[in-house]
Amino acid sequence: MAATQAPTRPQTLTLAPGKHAPQLKKSKTITAADGAVATVGANLQRSSPLAAVRRSSTSPLNLTVAVDDPSDAPSTAAGGGVLDRDWCYPSFLGPYPSRPRPPPQHKKKQPDPLPIPTRRGSAFQKPPDRALRGKPLRSFEEGEKKETKGGISLDERKPALVSSPAPRSPACKSRGLSVSLVFFTLVVTLIWCGFVAISQRNRILELEEEILNLRRICNGSCVDDCDSTRVLQYEDRDLVSYFGSVDGRIVALYTVVLSLATPFFLFKYLDYIPRIKSPAKDSKNNDEEVPLKKRIAYRVDVFFSVYPYAKLLALLFATILLICFGGLALYGVGDGSLSEALWLSWTFVADSGNHADREGVGPRIVSVSISSGGMLIFAMMLGLVSDAISEKVDSWRKGKSEVIERNHILILGWSDKLGSLLKQLAIANKSIGGGVIVVLAERDKEEMEMDIAKLEFDFMGTSVICRSGSPLILADLKKVSVSKARAIIVLAADENADQSDARALRVVLSLTGVREGLRGHVVVEMSDLDNEPLVKLVGGELIETVVAHDVIGRLMIQCALQPGLAQIWEDILGFENAEFYIKRWPELDGMRFEDVLISFPDAVPCGVKVAANGGKIIINPDDSYVLKEGDEILVIAEDDDTYYPGPIPEVRHGFLPIGSSPPSKYPEKILFCGWRRDIDDMIMVLEAFLAPGSELWMFNEVPEKERETKLIDGGLDLSGLTNIRLVHKEGNAVIRRHLENLPLETFDSILILADESVEDSIIHSDSRSLATLLLIRDIQSKRLPSMEAKTNTMRYTGFCHSSWIREMQQASDKSIIISEILDSRTRNLVSVSRISDYVLSNELVSMALAMVAEDKQINRVLEELFAEEGNELCIRPAEYYLYDQEELSFYDIMVRGRERQEIVIGYRLANAERAIINPTPKAELRKWSLDDVFVVISLGE
């Protein structure tokens, strides 16, 4: 009936008993229950759907195969059969490997789910489970129920995989059993001890009551009865108190013993507590659980690490526990009161020798134990105190403590300029009795203090405080009271220019992140002029930048064009002589600048800070400018408290000599020895200063092909150079044969630069510059014609007896050499022979930083004086202002200088070695020579 209802009719293969079917490929022979042997091929067609094969329960042996197409079924004649399995599905991954099967397990029968018809199938078949594909299926029980209708076999059960839990290992079982036995024994022992204690206590009470009754019965007469009653009552009270005290001491003793034993017991069995509490949880959760002992140890470690006073509190708690438990133990074994026992316990803890007079075994044992604990506690206390003192001393030594200062100068970083910077700041603070300078650098405090001590300089009351830390960390900045400093100086690092400027930028960002704000201004030393706008953009109005290389490069060019200017700049920038100051004088309001110029007997006015123009500083203003309210005067003076305005003196204007105008510029020939990273900026400055037709020879070890690339990358337009022509020569400046290939006798000025390759090493750079200087002077002295010595014998001092030095000094009159010196100690070697002028670069940069730190307005003045446009320092001959042997005062010369729109600030006599800036007294008359020179501030052409 089922066959007629199905879309396709299955074929029924019937095998007679005793007949064997032919063996197919990859076949297996299974003996049936009735003795018949059926063989079924295991290789079914892949194109057909999954076919289920099962054994029929009727006799003769009927095997029913459900297929989609009757043509695909094996013929009866072929004797095809199937495997003796309940369900057999073909595997797409290949044949199943043979493996031993577990014995069948009898399970409770369950109703079979509803059959699901397959596509194009004629019988209801159960589709295979995806999870069981490629896996061997377990066989059903032998006694399962089966039904066959119309040649179609239906099974009443579905195959299922039986999963059994993994058995526990014998070690885990034995461990859990031992833990359970220990815990059970412990509980039983405690309960039994409690019952025994209660029963013994009840027995003692009964015996005490019997004793009292026997004493009452033993008394005879009434009188005796009354007396004895009183005595008995008194004795009973003593007896009751005695027994009460005995019970209290026993309880105290038991309490001490149990309290001391409990921690050891818990420590031993602490790991088993979680398993005892939740054994079911341990069996279900396969994750490793952290033992309770480790968790407690971790919490204790965190407690001691987080809280700084944890050790002290633990020691105090241990001391209290020792005194309390020791007092209870003494009370239990002694005959005194509890308060006396606690006091004795404290004395034993404080002094271990107090237990020597104890009598009895119990008191001696307890007292020795308390004294031992006291010695341990005091040893721990000494260790804590020693560690605290050592830690505090180390923090002081390493510079970790906080600086509590106000109105101090803060220096961030460490470089070779720090020594000269500290000197200049100390000189600047001399007028106020000294100040405080704080240095924060990533160095050890002891090393910084040792390096500062090597300077051997008297700081004149100024205190230098060193702290170790990073300027990039806000906590370290707050440690040095950055918000209360009146000036902050950020030094450039001794490394690559871009890296140094990048670090300076990060420091400025850290300073802007201070929540309290900055009280003073920030002076940042930059290494590259191209990075200056970015730092100013980040810092805003509080930032003042000093580009070290740019300042030195411009100064060297000015010194090469005007010999002797380096010493004048050294006097003006340093605080040892005269320097710039800006101050307001209300009594000068309404006066013209030509009158203000001669109103200060101890200072030289140079400009005006115009309040109406946003505080702009005008250097060398017109004589007709009238001071207004709020205007300030820029002067050159010895100190800020050494000059005051006075009455206007009488001066003689006179007349300027005829033909005293400066000559027009003429072409010059200049040599650069060495390569600086800002050499493109120096070339641009020379382009502005020199006359057309000038030549600039560049002699260094950089290949000529790379020079143009570096100059163009630096922003130099080679095609835009109209006044100078570049001549490239390649060679080493410390090799004589390379220098001899140059026409050294034809150069007007020679600049020996600190080469970029050795500028990180001060000693190496100065040694290279000094060697180049000596070689050039020696070659020049042999090529230049011999010159007669000057009549001025004061010129030749020091090594004048040496012909070699004399020849080089004569050559220095013909050609100017400017050497860039980094170390101040090298200055003595260069200046003593007078064969070259020099520019002390690090010293001058430190002076500029100190001056801007004292007053940030001075930075505007320095920027204009160093620039190629605007006002500049110049050296003028005396013939521009006077006649030979004319008797004039300095006021008279200042007034004559105003006719040329110049401000005369000093002079150098013909027989003097150094120039005098801001001379005093200015009204004194003296005779002047045409060999004298004057230092002026003049508006450049």
Side-chain angles (χ1 to χ4, degrees):
M1 179 181 297
T4 59
Q5 295 177 355
T8 58
R9 184 171 55 85
Q11 296 181 358
T12 304
L13 303 180
T14 305
L15 298 180
K19 298 292 183 178
H20 297 277
Q23 301 286 336
L24 296 180
K25 186 178 181 180
K26 296 183 181 179
S27 61
K28 185 176 182 180
T29 302
I30 303 174
T31 305
D34 55 356
V37 177
T39 305
V40 180
N43 50 343
L44 299 179
Q45 297 181 4
R46 295 184 178 180
S47 60
S48 62
L50 300 177
V53 182
R54 64 171 300 172
R55 178 172 56 87
S56 176
S57 60
T58 58
S59 180
L61 183 61
N62 294 326
L63 299 180
T64 303
V65 180
V67 296
D68 293 339
D69 193 355
S71 62
D72 296 337
S75 62
T76 309
V82 296
L83 293 176
D84 189 12
R85 297 182 180 179
D86 295 325
W87 299 94
C88 181
Y89 300 105
S91 172
F92 295 100
L93 301 178
Y96 298 109
S98 60
R99 62 178 181 178
R101 298 178 176 271
Q105 300 179 0
H106 297 281
K107 298 175 61 178
K108 184 178 180 180
K109 296 182 179 180
Q110 298 179 358
D112 190 45
L114 295 177
I116 302 176
T118 60
R119 182 175 60 87
R120 296 180 60 189
S122 60
F124 288 92
Q125 303 177 10
K126 184 170 183 177
D129 192 0
R130 292 183 180 181
L132 302 178
R133 288 182 182 180
K135 299 180 181 180
L137 301 176
R138 299 180 183 271
S139 61
F140 281 108
E141 307 168 15
E142 292 294 335
E144 65 179 353
K145 185 177 180 181
K146 304 171 185 177
E147 181 181 359
T148 305
K149 291 184 180 180
I152 301 175
S153 299
L154 299 177
D155 194 0
E156 296 181 357
R157 291 177 57 104
K158 68 175 182 178
L161 291 175
V162 181
S163 61
S164 59
R168 298 180 62 181
S169 62
C172 295
K173 292 182 179 180
S174 61
R175 183 179 181 184
L177 183 61
S178 61
V179 172
S180 301
L181 290 177
V182 170
F183 181 73
F184 178 75
T185 304
L186 175 63
V187 172
V188 171
T189 302
L190 291 177
I191 295 175
W192 179 79
C193 291
F195 279 118
V196 170
I198 293 173
S199 61
Q200 292 296 328
R201 176 61 182 168
N202 293 333
R203 180 59 179 168
I204 290 174
L205 293 177
E206 292 177 358
L207 292 176
E208 290 178 354
E209 185 177 359
E210 290 180 2
I211 292 173
L212 293 175
N213 293 331
L214 289 176
R215 288 186 177 181
R216 291 192 188 97
I217 294 173
C218 292
N219 292 326
S221 60
C222 179
V223 177
D224 297 336
D225 205 9
C226 295
D227 296 336
S228 63
T229 300
R230 290 194 298 268
V231 174
L232 185 60
Q233 291 176 357
Y234 180 77
E235 292 178 356
D236 290 342
R237 286 197 301 267
D238 293 342
L239 188 62
V240 171
S241 63
Y242 172 76
F243 277 102
S245 63
V246 170
D247 291 341
R249 298 179 191 281
I250 294 175
V251 170
L253 192 59
Y254 284 167
T255 302
V256 173
V257 174
L258 290 177
S259 300
L260 295 178
T262 301
F264 294 99
F265 180 81
L266 291 178
F267 181 79
K268 183 174 181 60
Y269 297 100
L270 202 59
D271 292 340
Y272 305 112
I273 292 180
R275 296 188 179 90
I276 295 173
K277 286 185 177 180
S278 56
K281 181 179 178 181
D282 292 342
S283 62
K284 293 180 180 179
N285 190 10
N286 294 327
D287 297 337
E288 183 180 357
E289 184 179 359
V290 180
L292 182 60
K293 186 185 300 183
K294 290 186 178 180
R295 294 201 299 268
I296 294 176
Y298 171 72
R299 296 300 177 186
V300 172
D301 186 14
V302 170
F303 176 75
F304 279 97
S305 301
V306 172
Y307 299 98
Y309 299 103
K311 295 180 180 180
L312 184 60
L313 292 177
L315 183 60
L316 180 61
F317 182 71
T319 305
I320 294 174
L321 285 182
L322 179 60
I323 294 174
C324 293
F325 284 116
L328 289 177
L330 288 176
Y331 176 69
V333 299
D335 53 358
S337 62
L338 181 60
S339 60
E340 291 294 333
L342 291 175
W343 175 254
L344 284 176
S345 178
W346 158 246
T347 58
F348 295 161
V349 171
D351 188 0
S352 58
N354 285 339
H355 66 278
D357 58 347
R358 295 291 94 189
E359 296 180 356
V361 178
R364 288 180 176 177
I365 293 176
V366 174
S367 61
V368 169
S369 302
I370 297 174
S371 299
S372 302
M375 289 188 290
L376 180 61
I377 285 178
F378 271 91
M380 295 172 60
M381 184 181 299
L382 290 176
L384 290 179
V385 172
S386 177
D387 292 343
I389 295 176
S390 300
E391 184 178 356
K392 194 63 177 178
V393 172
D394 290 341
S395 66
W396 292 340
R397 181 174 56 85
K398 295 180 180 179
K400 300 297 183 181
S401 59
E402 184 178 359
V403 175
I404 304 176
E405 294 289 346
R406 302 177 66 90
N407 297 328
H408 59 284
I409 296 179
L410 177 60
I411 301 176
L412 302 179
W414 187 278
S415 69
D416 299 323
K417 307 179 185 68
L418 183 63
S420 56
L421 179 59
L422 293 177
K423 293 180 182 179
Q424 296 300 322
L425 293 175
I427 296 173
N429 294 328
K430 179 182 179 181
S431 60
I432 59 176
V436 178
I437 303 174
V438 181
V439 181
L440 177 65
E442 297 182 18
R443 297 186 62 191
D444 192 26
K445 178 175 177 288
E446 292 181 342
E447 294 181 0
M448 291 189 286
E449 291 176 348
M450 290 177 61
D451 291 343
I452 294 175
K454 292 178 182 178
L455 298 176
E456 297 180 356
F457 176 75
D458 183 13
F459 288 98
M460 294 168 287
T462 299
S463 302
V464 180
I465 302 174
C466 299
R467 287 294 180 266
S468 179
S470 174
L472 303 177
I473 302 176
L474 290 178
D476 292 342
L477 291 176
K478 293 180 180 179
K479 182 176 61 177
V480 292
S481 301
V482 63
S483 59
K484 301 177 183 178
R486 62 183 174 93
I488 303 171
I489 302 176
V490 181
L491 294 179
D494 297 331
E495 54 187 358
N496 181 269
D498 293 333
Q499 295 178 358
S500 176
D501 291 347
R503 178 178 176 82
L505 178 62
R506 293 196 298 269
V507 173
V508 172
L509 289 173
S510 301
L511 292 174
T512 56
V514 178
R515 294 182 179 179
E516 296 82 1
L518 300 179
R519 178 180 178 182
H521 60 282
V522 182
V523 183
V524 183
E525 179 192 359
M526 304 294 296
S527 299
D528 196 342
L529 186 63
D530 298 332
N531 300 325
E532 183 183 17
L534 181 59
V535 176
K536 287 186 175 181
L537 177 64
V538 173
E541 298 180 355
L542 291 177
I543 301 298
E544 296 291 338
T545 58
V546 176
V547 185
H549 269 67
D550 181 65
V551 169
I552 298 303
R554 294 172 183 269
L555 183 57
M556 290 189 67
I557 292 176
Q558 292 184 9
C559 295
L561 300 178
Q562 302 183 72
L565 197 61
Q567 177 260 318
I568 297 172
W569 269 114
E570 187 176 346
D571 291 341
I572 293 178
L573 290 178
F575 287 96
E576 296 179 355
N577 299 303
E579 55 270 359
F580 290 106
Y581 292 101
I582 298 178
K583 187 181 292 187
R584 168 165 168 73
W585 301 98
E587 58 269 26
L588 299 180
D589 293 344
M591 293 181 59
R592 293 165 55 92
F593 183 76
E594 62 177 354
D595 296 330
V596 174
L597 183 65
I598 57 177
S599 298
F600 292 89
D602 299 318
V604 178
C606 301
V608 179
K609 179 182 178 182
V610 183
N613 196 11
K616 181 180 179 181
I617 299 176
I618 301 177
I619 302 177
N620 190 15
D622 295 334
D623 290 340
S624 60
Y625 180 81
V626 179
L627 294 181
K628 301 177 180 60
E629 184 180 359
D631 290 349
E632 301 179 21
I633 308 298
L634 171 67
V635 302
I636 296 179
E638 181 70 22
D639 208 340
D640 57 350
D641 57 351
T642 58
Y643 69 98
Y644 299 93
I648 300 177
E650 295 182 2
V651 295
R652 291 176 295 179
H653 292 272
F655 300 94
L656 291 177
I658 300 174
S660 60
S661 59
S664 59
K665 293 182 179 180
Y666 57 89
E668 295 190 21
K669 191 175 182 181
I670 299 177
L671 172 65
F672 278 0
C673 290
W675 182 275
R676 287 167 55 102
R677 56 174 175 266
D678 60 342
I679 198 170
D680 53 324
D681 298 327
M682 298 180 66
I683 296 175
M684 295 175 64
V685 174
L686 279 177
E687 170 70 15
F689 280 137
L690 297 181
S694 301
E695 291 184 359
L696 174 60
W697 288 52
M698 303 179 65
F699 178 70
N700 50 71
E701 295 182 272
V702 179
E704 297 184 13
K705 296 181 180 179
E706 297 182 7
R707 296 182 188 180
E708 294 185 0
T709 303
K710 289 187 176 183
L711 293 176
I712 294 175
D713 293 342
L716 180 63
D717 185 10
L718 298 178
S719 60
L721 299 177
T722 58
N723 295 336
I724 60 176
R725 182 176 67 89
L726 298 181
V727 179
H728 297 282
K729 294 294 181 180
E730 184 176 351
N732 193 339
V734 295
I735 299 179
R736 187 182 183 90
R737 67 174 182 274
H738 291 176
L739 291 172
E740 289 177 347
N741 296 329
L742 300 174
L744 298 177
E745 68 279 1
T746 62
F747 292 107
D748 299 301
S749 301
I750 299 176
L751 276 69
I752 302 177
L753 309 177
D755 198 88
E756 183 181 11
S757 59
V758 294
E759 65 179 357
D760 294 338
S761 176
I762 293 180
I763 299 177
H764 193 185
S765 177
D766 287 354
S767 301
R768 184 183 180 92
S769 300
L770 186 59
T772 304
L773 170 62
L774 296 176
L775 289 174
I776 291 177
R777 279 305 185 202
D778 186 49
I779 296 174
Q780 285 181 339
S781 63
K782 291 178 173 55
R783 292 182 180 179
L784 292 173
S786 59
M787 301 174 59
E788 295 182 358
K790 289 189 176 182
T791 57
N792 185 11
T793 57
M794 295 186 62
R795 174 175 177 82
Y796 305 109
T797 59
F799 296 98
C800 62
H801 60 277
S802 174
S803 60
W804 175 62
I805 295 296
R806 177 185 290 271
E807 292 175 357
M808 287 194 293
Q809 289 176 350
Q810 291 176 358
S812 64
D813 296 332
K814 180 67 177 178
S815 177
I816 301 172
I817 297 182
I818 306 296
S819 303
E820 181 181 2
I821 303 301
L822 302 180
D823 193 354
S824 59
R825 293 171 294 185
T826 313
R827 171 177 52 183
N828 301 328
L829 301 176
V830 178
S831 61
V832 71
S833 59
R834 299 175 186 172
I835 59 176
S836 170
D837 204 348
Y838 61 91
V839 172
L840 196 58
S841 59
N842 283 350
E843 191 86 15
L844 293 176
V845 172
S846 302
M847 293 176 180
L849 290 173
M851 185 170 290
V852 178
E854 289 294 330
D855 189 356
K856 67 176 183 179
Q857 304 173 100
I858 304 300
N859 200 21
R860 307 282 86 80
V861 179
L862 298 180
E863 288 177 354
E864 182 175 351
L865 294 179
F866 282 129
E868 59 270 14
E869 297 179 357
N871 291 277
E872 60 182 358
L873 282 180
C874 299
I875 297 178
R876 301 295 192 199
E879 60 186 11
Y880 287 0
Y881 311 99
L882 49 85
Y883 296 96
D884 190 19
Q885 301 301 317
E886 186 176 3
E887 189 175 2
L888 297 172
S889 68
F890 191 75
Y891 277 134
D892 299 336
I893 298 175
M894 292 177 64
V895 172
R896 292 188 180 184
R898 291 306 298 167
E899 297 181 15
R900 299 170 49 84
Q901 292 298 317
E902 297 174 346
I903 298 178
V904 182
I905 64 174
Y907 61 85
R908 188 183 70 182
L909 300 179
N911 55 357
E913 297 181 1
R914 300 182 66 89
I916 299 176
I917 307 300
N918 183 30
T920 56
K922 297 180 175 60
E924 181 182 0
L925 297 176
R926 63 176 305 162
K927 291 183 179 181
W928 302 91
S929 171
L930 294 180
D931 293 333
D932 300 334
V933 294
F934 290 94
V935 182
V936 301
I937 296 178
S938 176
L939 183 63
E941 297 179 3

